[in-house]
Amino acid sequence: MEHEDRLHWGASLFSLDVKEDNLVRHYKGRLLVLITVLTGLLMWTYSLISLFFVEQPVLARIGFTCSIIHALSPLVYRISRSMVAAAYNMVLAGMVFQFSFSFFTGGFFSPTLLWFAVLPLIVGLLTNRTHAVAWTFISVAAYILMFLLQNQGWVPEPSISALGKTLAQFMIGMGLIGLVGGFTVFFLELAYFYHHKPKDS
C-alpha cells in the first residue's frame, strides 16, 4: 500500500500533462503581459543605473537595447503565436543584460548574478517542464562562465559608483522579494485554473 502511495505521489508530481486549449493559451498570454511589465520595470531601472552610475557607456547601450527587446515579448507572441518564442525572447534579453551588468560591476562576485535563478521560473510558468529544465542548465552554464572569466582575470575592475552599487543592491532585494512573491501567486492561480477549467466532454 505504501509503495502504491509513493508511485501515485510521484506520478502526480512529475507526470501531469495538461492539454493546452485556447482558454489556457489565453490565460498564459495574460500572464506573459504581467511578467513582462514586472520584469520590465527592473530592466529599465537597471538600464538607468547603468547610464548614470556605471562608467562603462557600453553597458547602458546594452541595457536599453535589451530592455526594448524584452518589452516586445507580448508582440512576439501575438505575431508568432508561440509562447516558447515569446518566453525565450524575454529571458534571453534579460540574461544578456544581467550577464553584462555583472561583468562590469563585479563579475562573479556581483550579486546581480542572482537574477539567473529567476529565468527558469519564468520559462517554466509560461511554457513547460522541458524548457524550464533547459533554462536551468543554461543559467548554470552562464554562472560557471562568469566564474571562469573571473578566474582567468578577464573581468575588469568594477566601474559602478558607490551610490549605483547601493541602488543595484536595493533592486536585487526588493525585486527578488516582489518577483518571487508575485510568481508564487501567479503559479497558484495557474494551478487553480488548470484544476477548475472546463474539461473536454
Side-chain angles (χ1 to χ4, degrees), residues 54-75:
V54 178
E55 294 177 3
Q56 289 286 348
V58 67
L59 182 58
R61 291 196 291 270
I62 294 172
F64 285 113
T65 300
C66 290
S67 295
I68 292 171
I69 294 172
H70 172 279
L72 294 175
S73 297
L75 183 61

Side-chain angles (χ1 to χ4, degrees), residues 3-14:
H3 177 66
E4 291 179 357
D5 289 341
R6 286 200 302 268
L7 286 177
H8 178 72
W9 180 84
S12 298
L13 183 62
F14 297 111

Side-chain angles (χ1 to χ4, degrees), residues 43-68 96-97 100-101 104-105 159:
M43 292 276 289
W44 287 101
T45 302
Y46 271 103
S47 297
L48 291 173
I49 292 174
S50 301
L51 179 63
F52 293 110
F53 301 106
V54 178
E55 294 177 3
Q56 289 286 348
V58 67
L59 182 58
R61 291 196 291 270
I62 294 172
F64 285 113
T65 300
C66 290
S67 295
I68 292 171
V96 169
F97 186 30
S100 302
F101 193 94
F104 290 111
T105 62
S159 58

Side-chain angles (χ1 to χ4, degrees), residues 169-191:
Q169 182 65 34
F170 184 81
M171 291 302 300
I172 290 169
M174 296 300 293
L176 277 176
I177 293 169
L179 283 181
V180 171
F183 288 165
T184 300
V185 172
F186 294 153
F187 179 79
L188 293 173
E189 180 66 17
L190 189 63

Side-chain angles (χ1 to χ4, degrees), residues 10-31:
S12 298
L13 183 62
F14 297 111
S15 302
L16 181 62
D17 287 317
V18 178
K19 181 181 179 181
E20 286 200 0
D21 53 19
N22 289 332
L23 197 60
V24 173
R25 284 188 285 271
H26 176 71
Y27 185 90
K28 283 194 173 185
R30 291 166 51 202
L31 188 60

